[in-house]
């Protein structure tokens, strides 16, 4: 039986270029090689055959049976090719070259060229020993030449080839055939998987064009059974751009799920101790088939469990378990699509997983397409039938896939097994070869669309329009075809001002605003018909003033004393007559104010402008087509008057504050700002202080020399220029107090005196230093006592007459002519007796309360302490050791530092600090709170609407940002504009009434939550809107109950176990709250302390203190603080241990 043949066919119609894809590289891994790279090689000197006409061809796998096709008409020229590759033949082992040429006259860069075999295989990935691609460019002829050399051809190289060229939105392609003389060698078996593999680099067969897997064999009369293809192996080795094509070819519909599971398959499998041999990464089985999973255990006694998508598999008729030595086998019978899932097996704590893919059988074409002929504008339907309902079918036009897009002119209809391609109104360019492809077959047919005889139903009419009016040309023909519009013989293209419309058989030409240049002869010519429809358009132009270059309200500003020449462009045909006037007087063409007229403009000239020239000037144009006039405001301006003399209101160390009044006359132009100058009183040189205008009437000069007399003055500035300077201010002298003394420390301590020493201030200034004042106060009081009634000029002073055992605070001030400096405090109270210093934590005042910082801020706390010898410091957070990887702790002899570089909310908590000296210790707790902005409030509801008011309520946010909610911000938006406006800020309640709303409008509301960090990022909006009806309602005021502030006693700070030294006063402290104010009672060993002079009890703002004077070991025991009011009572106790010094 003779082999079917296929004639050469050339694609002449342009199609959109396919999306750019990366082509595989030549490294054997399937990665891409840039299409722009040129493979340059020297063709062999002999054995090269010229392309010749081919009589028959072998079709590649998947293209279907070959059919006889007619060559296209030579009149249909390509858009890019100037020379196309021609079909040819070559004997086995011979060489052949195919040549394509592209003209570069209209191209700005090199076009993209691709060579294909069949429909899909890109030959750029096959370049090597047997295939070489070459390109060149001739500058004189501007021709790009592209060559494909096939060297030592083999029998399986025969088939259909295609060359595609693209440049921006241009695209062209050409098909040609290669015939290879048959060889008597035995036909090898077909292996589809080998068609997608490359030979290794560096071998003799590198670059082998292995097409054998994609071609049918001519001599095999009985079709061989197609070998099973592992699709997932193809996917793992394929380029990502090929995934969709492979999925369609092998019946995979869930492409996204396939890629996710393929990604899991590619993960590296760790070596398992429980499995000697694990599951493969993936298994493939046909629908209805049987699959076998097998693992081999290292220890056969380990319990094994199988799972499908996380659910344990139990033995059944479908799932069969089998044990063979160390092997554990799972059989799954009669596989369905529900078995397509992830499976894993567990052995002890280890797990081994795999993927099972179930493949649908291929879809066959049971009834093919039929050739169709029709006229332009008719409805076309091409139908075929496939073997299954609702199967995945792809449609092609001349080999290019048609998109199933609602906006496409091609509509695809599916009715069970029947698939139909519908073209509602066929066009001439719809003539093509259409094909349908399934996973198991294809069919194609030709569509021929011809033109109907054309008749003119409505011809174009001559028009006369005014300048700026619409030009609207309309014609109607008997057929729905495209066409071109011409003006004076030149083609008119659509643009922003020229609109071309085509709907059905009606064609319209519209210019929204006619111009003088639009006048001429117009003509419409339908495509493919030798008919033209002419008409004439005439444009009339009335006079027009063009004032676009003038300012707001046609105002022109001129500086007094200068010359004004104002030119106004004018248009009109014939040339209009121009007249200028001011008030009731017309302006002539001579004098200081005169008018000058030109063909396309008119000028108003004012020599030496004066303020009296300000006012409106009228310009009027007249001609036969109409009249135009306008008012132009002339404004004459000058520099402002100087400001008044400035006043210096405040003086500092090197600065002062000065103010002044604006000038009485701004010169006709608003004041833009001021320049300030200063000078020394004894100097005549003024210095500018600001180079950017000062917008206010106050200024702060800086960087002056302390003790030197200065004067200042001001200039006013407007758009015209700078005024004369103001009168100088009164002279002034900058002076300042010194900085605080430095390095204040204790020099020595006796039973009745304390000696302090310090260093002079770092900065003294021009006023000098007169001496120092030393002050002290007893701990627990705020009364500071001056130790030296007269100033001392020494940096050492002894405070005498102090009671033994008391504690004092000391501070020192420096004094000069400007006054006293800021005091320098001694950091700790000083005990008036030399003793061994027990550990004591000097917790800063701001850390005694909750220490709050925002998320992302730095926490850097320095906590000083005392204790000798060297104290040992330890930290805990919420009772557990601190993680030093997140929180840095640094300790010195006198203080400890806790540092958090970037605070997070997880850093919040109670931090316990303990200082130990031998057997003595002191503890302190710091409460750190890391806060952030809150979340939005919960549901916001509209409770009531009456009159012009709306009552809202909401719930606090779930996330308060770790800080108390301080308020809410409420916004409203009109439903029409949805522009939000704030109506209430910093509102503390969870309900509010919005007043003064506009009757008849409909509003939405939203609420932001606010804490110390600011507003929440999002707001909660009401689901419904509130309509402010015209008929008001009587508002019922809610009744609120008085808030009950009563509270039973509660200790907010408990007593702490304390060690005391015999002979030195000891104190016990706690804090309590309650309403009414509770009565405080102290107990020792459960016995109330009453009228004992050795004890002093204090209670201030809820802080309760018990002072034990010079305790002895007898005073040790359990101390209790009891708080009682009418609502209840509360107790807190601690242990006191008194140690005797040796």
């Amino acid at each position: 039986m003779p082999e079917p043949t296929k004639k050469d066919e050339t694609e002449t119609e342009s199609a959109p270029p396919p999306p750019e894809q990366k082509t595989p590289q030549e490294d054997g891994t399937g990665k891409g090689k840039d299409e722009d790279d040129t493979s340059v090689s020297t063709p062999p000197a002999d054995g090269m055959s010229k392309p010749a006409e081919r009589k028959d061809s072998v079709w590649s796998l998947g293209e279907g049976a070959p059919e006889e096709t007619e060559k296209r008409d030579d009149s249909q020229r390509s858009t890019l090719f100037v020379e196309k590759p021609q079909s040819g033949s070559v004997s086995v082992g011979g060489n052949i070259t195919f040549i394509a040429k592209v003209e570069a006259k209209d191209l700005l860069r090199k076009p993209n060229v691709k060579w294909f075999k069949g429909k899909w295989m890109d030959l750029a990935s096959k370049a090597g020993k047997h295939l070489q691609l070459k390109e060149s460019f001739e500058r004189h002829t501007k021709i790009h030449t592209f060559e494909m050399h096939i060297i030592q051809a083999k029998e399986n190289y025969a088939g259909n080839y295609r060359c595609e060229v693209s440049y921006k939105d241009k695209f062209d392609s050409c098909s040609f055939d290669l015939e290879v003389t048959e060889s008597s060698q035995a036909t090898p078996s077909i292996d589809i998987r080998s068609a997608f593999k490359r030979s290794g680099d560096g071998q003799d067969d590198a670059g082998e064009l292995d097409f054998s897997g994609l071609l049918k064999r001519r001599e095999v009369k009985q079709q061989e059974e197609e070998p099973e293809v592992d699709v997932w192996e193809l996917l793992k080795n394929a380029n990502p751009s090929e995934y969709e094509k492979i999925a369609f070819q092998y019946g995979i519909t869930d492409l996204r799920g396939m890629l996710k599971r393929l990604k899991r398959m590619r993960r590296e499998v760790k070596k398992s101790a429980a499995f000697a041999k694990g599951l493969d990464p993936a298994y493939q089985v046909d629908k209805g088939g049987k699959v076998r999973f097998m693992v081999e255990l290292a220890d056969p006694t380990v319990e094994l469990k199988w799972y499908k998508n996380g659910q344990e598999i139990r033995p059944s008729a479908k799932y069969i378990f089998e044990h063979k030595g160390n092997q554990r086998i799972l059989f799954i019978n009669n596989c369905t699509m529900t078995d397509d899932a992830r499976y894993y097996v567990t052995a002890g704590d280890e797990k081994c997983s795999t993927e099972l893919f179930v493949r649908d059988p291929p879809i066959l074409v049971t009834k093919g397409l039929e050739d169709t002929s029709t006229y332009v504008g008719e409805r076309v339907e091409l139908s075929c039938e496939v073997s299954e309902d609702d199967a995945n079918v792809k449609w092609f036009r001349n080999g290019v896939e048609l998109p199933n897009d609602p906006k496409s002119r091609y509509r695809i209809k599916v009715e069970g097994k029947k698939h139909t391609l519908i073209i509602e109104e066929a066009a001439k360019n719809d003539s093509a070869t259409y094909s349908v492809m399934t996973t198991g077959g294809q069919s194609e047919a030709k569509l021929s669309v011809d033109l109907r005889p054309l008749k003119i139903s409505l011809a174009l009419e001559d028009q006369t329009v005014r300048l700026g009016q619409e030009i609207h040309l309309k014609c109607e023909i008997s057929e729905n075809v495209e066409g071109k519009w011409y003006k004076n013989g030149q083609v008119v293209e659509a643009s922003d001002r020229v609109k071309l419309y085509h709907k059905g058989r009606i064609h319209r030409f519209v210019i929204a605003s006619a111009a003088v240049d639009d006048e001429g002869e117009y003509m419409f010519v339908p495509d493919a018909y030798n008919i033209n429809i002419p008409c004439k358009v005439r444009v009339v132009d009335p006079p027009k003033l063009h004032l676009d270059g003038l300012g707001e309200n046609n105002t022109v500003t001129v500086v007094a004393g200068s010359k004004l020449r104002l030119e106004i462009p004018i248009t009109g045909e014939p040339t209009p007559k121009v007249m200028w006037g001011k008030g009731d007087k017309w302006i002539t063409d001579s004098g200081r104010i005169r008018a000058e007229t030109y063909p396309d403009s008119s000028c108003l000239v004012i020599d030496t402008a004066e303020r009296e020239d300000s006012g409106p000037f009228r310009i009027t144009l007249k001609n036969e087509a109409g009249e135009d006039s306008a008012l132009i405001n002339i404004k004459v301006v000058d520099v402002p008057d100087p400001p008044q003399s400035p006043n210096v209101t405040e003086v500092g160390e090197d600065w002062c504050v000065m103010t002044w009044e604006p000038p009485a006359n701004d010169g006709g132009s608003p004041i833009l700002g001021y320049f300030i100058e200063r000078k020394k009183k004894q100097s005549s040189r003024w210095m500018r202080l600001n180079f950017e205008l000062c917008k206010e009437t106050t200024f702060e000069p800086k960087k002056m020399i302390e003790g030197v007399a200065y004067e200042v003055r001001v200039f006013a500035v407007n758009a015209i220029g700078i005024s004369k300077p103001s009168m100088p201010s009164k002279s002034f002298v900058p002076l300042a107090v010194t900085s605080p003394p430095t390095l204040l420390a204790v020099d020595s301590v006796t039973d009745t005196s304390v000696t302090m020493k310090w260093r002079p201030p770092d900065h003294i200034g021009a006023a000098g230093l007169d001496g120092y004042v030393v002050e002290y106060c007893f701990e627990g009081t705020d009364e500071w006592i001056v130790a030296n009634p007269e100033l001392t000029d020494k940096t050492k002073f002894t405070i005498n007459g102090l009671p033994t055992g008391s504690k004092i605070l000391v501070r020192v001030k420096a004094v000069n002519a400007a006054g006293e400096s800021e005091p320098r405090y001694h950091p700790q109270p000083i005990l008036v007796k030399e003793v061994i210093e027990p550990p004591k934590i000097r917790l800063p005042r701001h850390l005694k309360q909750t220490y709050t910082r925002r998320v992302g801020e730095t926490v850097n706390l320095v906590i000083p302490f005392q204790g000798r010898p060297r104290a040992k410091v330890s930290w805990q957070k919420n009772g557990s050791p601190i993680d030093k990887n997140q929180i840095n702790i640094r300790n010195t002899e006198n203080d400890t530092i806790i540092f958090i570089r970037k605070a997070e909310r997880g850093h919040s908590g109670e931090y316990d600090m303990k200082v130990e000296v031998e057997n003595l210790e002191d503890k302190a707790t710091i409460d750190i709170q890391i806060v952030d902005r809150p979340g939005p409030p919960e549901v916001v509801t509209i409770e009531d609407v009456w009159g012009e008011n709306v009552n809202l309520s909401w719930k606090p946010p779930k996330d308060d940002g770790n800080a108390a909610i301080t308020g809410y911000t409420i916004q409203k938006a009109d439903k029409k504009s949805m522009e939000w406006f704030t109506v209430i800020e910093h509102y503390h309640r969870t309900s509010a009434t919005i007043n003064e709303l506009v009757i008849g409008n409909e509003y939405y509301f939203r609420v932001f939550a606010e804490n110390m960090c600011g507003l929440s990022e999002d707001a909660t909006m009401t689901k419904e809107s509130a309509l402010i009806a015209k008929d008001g309602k009587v508002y019922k005021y809610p009744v609120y109950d008085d808030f009950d502030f009563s509270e039973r006693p509660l200790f907010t700070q408990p007593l702490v176990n304390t060690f005391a030294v015999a002979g030195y006063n000891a104190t016990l402290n706690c804090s309590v709250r309650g309403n009414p104010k509770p009565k405080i009672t102290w107990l020792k060993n459960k016995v109330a302390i009453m009228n004992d002079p050795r004890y002093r009890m204090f209670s201030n703002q809820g802080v309760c203190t018990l002072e034990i004077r010079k305790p002895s070991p007898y005073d040790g025991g359990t101390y209790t603080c009891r708080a009682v009011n009418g609502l209840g009572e509360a107790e807190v106790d601690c242990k006191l241990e008194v140690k005797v010094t040796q």
Side-chain angles (χ1 to χ4, degrees), residues 53 235 248 464 578 601 691 770 800 1048 1070:
E53 293 295 329
L235 289 172
F248 175 77
T464 299
V578 182
S601 64
F691 294 97
D770 297 335
N800 297 311
R1048 64 178 298 170
C1070 62

Side-chain angles (χ1 to χ4, degrees), residues 140-194:
H140 298 293
T141 59
K142 293 185 178 181
I143 296 295
H144 288 282
T145 302
F146 301 92
E147 300 179 3
M148 180 178 72
H149 301 281
I150 296 179
I151 304 170
Q152 298 179 3
K154 297 183 179 180
E155 184 182 58
N156 55 6
Y157 291 3
N160 180 258
Y161 290 78
R162 186 171 78 258
C163 178
E164 292 184 355
V165 58
S166 63
Y167 176 79
K168 292 186 178 180
D169 56 347
K170 297 181 179 181
F171 176 77
D172 202 356
S173 66
C174 176
S175 299
F176 58 94
D177 294 333
L178 172 63
E179 180 182 7
V180 181
T181 304
E182 297 183 4
S183 174
S184 60
Q185 299 178 356
T187 303
S189 62
I190 299 177
D191 184 5
I192 295 180
R193 289 171 291 183
S194 64

Side-chain angles (χ1 to χ4, degrees), residues 896-1053:
T896 178
I897 298 175
I898 180 169
F899 179 77
I900 303 175
R901 185 175 301 278
K902 191 174 183 180
E904 299 177 358
R905 289 177 64 173
H907 293 141
S908 300
E910 292 186 355
Y911 291 74
D912 299 319
M913 174 186 173
K914 182 169 67 174
V915 180
E916 297 176 311
V917 176
E918 296 181 354
N919 295 328
L920 303 178
E921 68 177 21
D922 192 12
K923 297 181 179 179
T925 299
I926 301 174
D927 187 7
I928 297 179
Q929 182 180 10
I930 308 301
V931 299
D932 199 358
R933 292 203 290 178
E938 295 192 68
V939 181
V940 179
T941 57
I942 299 175
E943 297 293 343
D944 195 5
V945 179
W946 74 98
E948 300 174 359
N949 311 300
V950 172
N951 181 255
L952 304 176
S953 67
W954 59 91
K955 296 181 180 179
K958 293 183 179 179
D959 181 13
D960 61 0
N962 206 21
I965 299 298
T966 59
Y968 301 89
T969 295
I970 307 170
Q971 294 183 344
K972 68 179 180 180
D974 190 287
K975 185 177 180 181
K976 298 178 182 178
S977 63
M978 288 309 291
E979 293 183 4
W980 293 98
F981 300 90
T982 300
V983 293
I984 302 179
E985 292 181 307
H986 313 303
Y987 192 76
H988 298 283
R989 299 182 180 179
T990 57
S991 63
T993 299
I994 312 303
N995 304 318
E996 298 181 359
L997 299 176
V998 179
I999 294 178
N1001 287 2
E1002 194 170 0
Y1003 293 91
Y1004 284 96
F1005 300 88
R1006 66 181 183 185
V1007 182
F1008 293 83
E1010 181 180 6
N1011 64 7
M1012 61 183 300
C1013 295
L1015 294 177
S1016 58
E1017 294 183 357
D1018 300 319
T1020 303
M1021 190 176 75
T1022 56
K1023 295 182 179 179
E1024 302 87 13
S1025 60
L1027 176 61
I1028 308 303
K1030 294 184 179 180
D1031 296 333
K1033 297 181 179 179
V1034 179
Y1035 174 65
K1036 297 180 180 179
Y1037 290 93
V1039 179
Y1040 298 101
D1041 297 331
D1042 293 337
F1043 184 77
D1044 186 8
F1045 291 94
S1046 300
E1047 182 182 10
R1048 64 178 298 170
L1050 174 65
F1051 282 94
T1052 59
Q1053 180 65 38

Side-chain angles (χ1 to χ4, degrees), residues 699-821:
F699 188 75
E700 184 178 342
K702 297 181 179 179
K703 297 182 180 180
M704 292 184 286
I705 301 175
E706 187 178 0
V708 178
Y710 287 90
E711 294 178 347
V712 292
R713 67 181 184 183
V714 183
F715 295 82
V717 181
N718 64 5
I720 309 307
I722 304 175
S723 71
K724 295 181 180 180
S726 67
M727 294 299 294
S729 67
K730 295 181 180 179
S731 62
F732 60 93
V733 179
L735 285 176
V737 297
T738 68
S739 62
T742 60
L743 302 178
L744 177 61
V746 178
D747 184 62
S748 62
V749 179
T750 67
D751 289 340
T752 59
S753 66
V754 173
T755 302
M756 306 298 296
K757 62 180 180 179
W758 60 89
R759 298 287 294 170
D762 291 334
H763 177 71
I764 295 177
L769 177 62
D770 297 335
Y772 302 93
V773 174
V774 181
E775 298 178 343
Y776 70 94
C777 75
F778 292 98
E779 185 181 23
T781 66
D782 296 328
E783 181 182 358
W784 288 92
I785 303 171
V786 178
N788 56 329
E790 297 181 356
L791 296 179
T792 178
D793 56 354
K794 298 180 180 180
T795 58
K796 188 174 183 180
F797 187 83
T798 300
I799 305 173
N800 297 311
L802 300 175
T804 303
S806 62
K807 292 183 179 180
I808 64 171
L809 299 173
V810 181
R811 67 185 184 185
V812 180
K813 300 178 183 178
V815 181
N816 66 359
E820 294 182 347
S821 70

